Amino acid sequence: MSQATNQSWGGRFSEPTDAFVERFTASVNFDQRLARQDIQGSIAHATMLARVGVLTDDERDAIINGLSEIKGEIERDEFEWSVPLEDVHMNIEARLTDKIGITGKKLHTGRSRNDQVATDIRLFMRDAIDVIEAELVRLREGMIELADREAETIMPGFTHLQTAQPVTFGHHLLAWQEMVARDHERLLDCRKRINVMPLGAAALAGTTYPIDRHVTAELLGFERPAENSLDAVSDRDFAIEFTSFASILLMHLSRMSEELVLWTSAQFDFIDLPDRFCTGSSIMPQKKNPDVPELVRGKTGRIYGHLMSLLTLMKSQPLAYNKDNQEDKEPLFDAVDTVRDCLKAFADMVPAIEPKKASMFEAARKGFSTATDLADYLVRKGVAFRDAHEIVGQSVAYGLRTEKDLSEMTLDELKQFSATIEQDVFEVLTLEGSVAARNHIGGTAPDQVRAAAQRAREALATLKGGAL
Ligand code: ARG
């Protein structure tokens, strides 16, 4: 057998792999990121093999010690990765055999790289999800606390990006919080299906050794062994689920980003973002650009791309493992990094938002945002809603001609449009009156926002850490 032929499967080959093909098929440059999980899986596998009598205790100990040393070499960046050895699995196994001799070759008894890699990715994703969840929790906490603080702050609410009705800033922030709360649930739901163990499926059909998959599953903290060996080695639907979660989350973050970008503009002037989240322009000295939300908005595109590439990767693949599956890692790794960083950016930034309350209030006062309140007032006085709508429409037209908001008109001016209007109308035409009147669950009244913030805190405490 030629030196250049991969030692672990070179037996039936009569010529070495073409140099380009070797590079083309190798994954070690990116799958070395699975090293920690690969070693964790191998230690559990060796422990199980000794438990069922396939390895002796001495062999198990030699393997575990060797693997622990290799882990140290990798962590200290002393490990020499080899492309001819193809992937993370064979690099580590070859190094183990270097170190402990023939016993190293026994580690692969009763398993295949097919169940090994499927197990490694699931372990990796479980760890990644836990880090991502911590950032998501931090973001939710930040949103809830800011909302509580800003329960009385009035801003315009929009539909079609046109001033619609006044809302409280706290209410707006709790709308964001609801979006990410559902993302949180989706993440934990995805984690449940990730936490199932492929190991023991071997290449595709299982193995003839008397393995105990419950032992390995328990050692690795998996909920249970995967039910079917063909499915266990081949499906990557969990990667698709994760990138679906990521796509929906980034879609939400892009909506929030868009609002932050609008709000920091001179035209809106609703909030200030501290300088540390912004950058300047090399040519226009006055500029302070909201780069962080803009980048999060932009990164949404690459996450959608990863979802699309994984869906397409899996489409039409026959059972069981196919080399196509090696293409799952790069999109998945990038999705994990991007989601973690975007969440970190948001979790740091949201509590630092400084609302410009006077400017928000002034914007809400413009644009006849209490017109619906006037219509509701007329209905309470016995006018039919359609007639009330018409009366208020005429008042607004008058306001546009005379450049007066409804609350700035005198009682006589308002009475031109309906004799039913009396002095008490001014209570409903104020912004404070308008928001306070929407006083039911889900409404924008300050009392409701404070109560909703409290419920959100409780919901978060129950969900945190996976109690779905
Ligand atoms: N590097 C491969 C992957 O990521 C590992 C599994 C290879 N299995 C095989 N039979 N070629 O999918």
Side-chain angles (χ1 to χ4, degrees), residues 71 79 216 264 299 333 369:
K71 186 165 174 247
F79 192 91
T216 339
T264 50
K299 283 179 190 292
F333 291 159
S369 66

Side-chain angles (χ1 to χ4, degrees), residues 380-433:
R380 281 197 297 277
K381 302 257 170 181
V383 180
F385 184 78
R386 278 288 153 233
D387 294 334
H389 191 284
E390 175 63 23
I391 292 166
V392 179
Q394 287 168 7
S395 323
V396 167
Y398 172 80
L400 284 170
R401 279 199 308 278
T402 56
E403 293 188 6
K404 280 183 189 166
D405 188 64
L406 295 174
S407 59
E408 291 166 339
M409 296 177 195
T410 64
L411 184 57
D412 283 343
E413 280 177 303
L414 287 165
K415 268 184 177 295
Q416 307 170 67
F417 309 106
S418 170
T420 20
I421 299 179
E422 287 164 71
Q423 187 60 37
D424 59 355
V425 75
F426 294 103
E427 287 159 36
V428 308
L429 291 183
T430 66
L431 299 178
E432 290 85 351

Side-chain angles (χ1 to χ4, degrees), residues 29-333:
N29 287 338
F30 50 87
D31 70 12
Q32 53 182 268
R33 220 176 139 173
L34 296 173
R36 196 160 59 81
Q37 289 79 13
D38 196 67
I39 289 172
Q40 186 187 359
S42 290
I43 290 177
H45 182 64
T47 306
M48 181 279 290
L49 289 179
R51 192 96 54 102
V52 299
V54 172
L55 292 179
T56 66
D57 287 358
D58 286 348
E59 287 170 331
R60 175 201 57 205
D61 294 345
I63 287 173
I64 293 178
N65 290 337
L67 287 171
S68 307
E69 283 175 29
I70 294 171
K71 186 165 174 247
E73 292 170 11
I74 294 170
E75 282 166 1
R76 291 191 301 276
D77 216 7
E78 289 163 12
F79 192 91
E80 272 180 45
W81 298 100
S82 145
V83 173
L85 285 170
E86 200 178 318
D87 57 23
V88 61
H89 322 293
M90 294 203 291
N91 267 267
I92 291 176
E93 197 188 308
R95 178 75 187 126
L96 181 67
T97 304
D98 272 1
K99 285 171 101 63
I100 68 168
I102 183 116
T103 306
K105 296 189 180 180
K106 295 192 177 183
L107 168 62
H108 212 52
T109 313
R111 81 173 180 187
S112 148
R113 277 185 296 152
N114 296 353
D115 59 342
Q116 191 179 352
V117 70
T119 303
D120 291 0
I121 313 172
R122 284 171 184 266
L123 288 171
F124 175 88
M125 288 308 296
R126 214 174 59 184
D127 295 344
I129 285 176
D130 295 343
V131 171
I132 286 169
E133 197 209 352
E135 294 294 1
L136 199 42
V137 166
R138 207 158 65 79
L139 173 59
R140 288 185 65 186
E141 284 167 352
M143 285 175 170
I144 296 168
E145 294 324 309
L146 184 61
D148 200 18
R149 263 201 321 278
E150 303 301 332
E152 316 222 349
T153 306
I154 290 175
M155 67 183 283
F158 300 91
T159 61
H160 314 267
L161 205 54
Q162 312 289 318
T163 300
Q165 291 170 354
V167 294
T168 50
F169 185 44
H171 195 53
H172 194 113
L173 291 164
L174 286 181
W176 287 4
Q177 200 285 136
E178 285 299 309
M179 301 179 202
V180 287
R182 290 190 295 275
D183 292 322
H184 191 176
E185 285 183 19
R186 273 184 279 272
L187 178 69
L188 295 181
D189 191 49
C190 164
R191 191 188 190 282
K192 270 193 318 203
R193 276 179 295 280
I194 284 180
N195 203 21
V196 174
M197 186 192 71
L199 207 59
L204 75 163
T207 175
T208 56
Y209 296 94
I211 57 169
D212 187 337
R213 300 183 67 210
H214 289 288
V215 169
T216 339
E218 205 188 312
L219 289 170
L220 292 171
F222 280 113
E223 189 62 37
R224 59 180 172 83
E227 198 59 46
N228 180 291
S229 62
L230 295 167
D231 173 52
V233 291
S234 63
D235 211 343
R236 297 292 183 266
D237 57 357
F238 63 90
I240 296 174
E241 277 193 46
F242 177 80
T243 40
S244 306
F245 145 79
S247 296
I248 300 175
L249 170 73
L250 265 285
M251 175 274 293
H252 284 148
L253 295 184
S254 79
R255 296 180 64 192
M256 298 165 201
S257 297
E258 174 73 8
E259 294 188 323
L260 291 174
V261 171
L262 286 171
W263 293 349
T264 50
S265 71
Q267 287 67 29
F268 272 80
D269 198 32
F270 283 5
I271 62 161
D272 208 8
L273 280 181
D275 289 357
R276 64 182 183 281
F277 297 106
C278 302
T279 60
S281 157
S282 52
I283 176 164
M284 297 167 284
Q286 85 284 11
K287 291 294 286 288
K288 174 171 157 182
N289 298 327
D291 289 41
V292 172
E294 285 175 284
L295 258 181
V296 172
R297 190 175 61 183
K299 283 179 190 292
T300 310
R302 66 201 273 166
I303 294 292
Y304 291 0
H306 295 327
L307 170 60
M308 217 29 74
S309 67
L310 288 170
L311 277 168
T312 315
L313 174 68
M314 289 315 295
K315 177 184 176 294
S316 314
Q317 268 199 50
L319 286 173
Y321 175 87
N322 303 285
K323 185 76 167 178
D324 313 40
N325 282 0
Q326 185 165 290
E327 287 289 304
D328 62 355
K329 289 168 201 65
E330 287 160 292
L332 203 50
F333 291 159

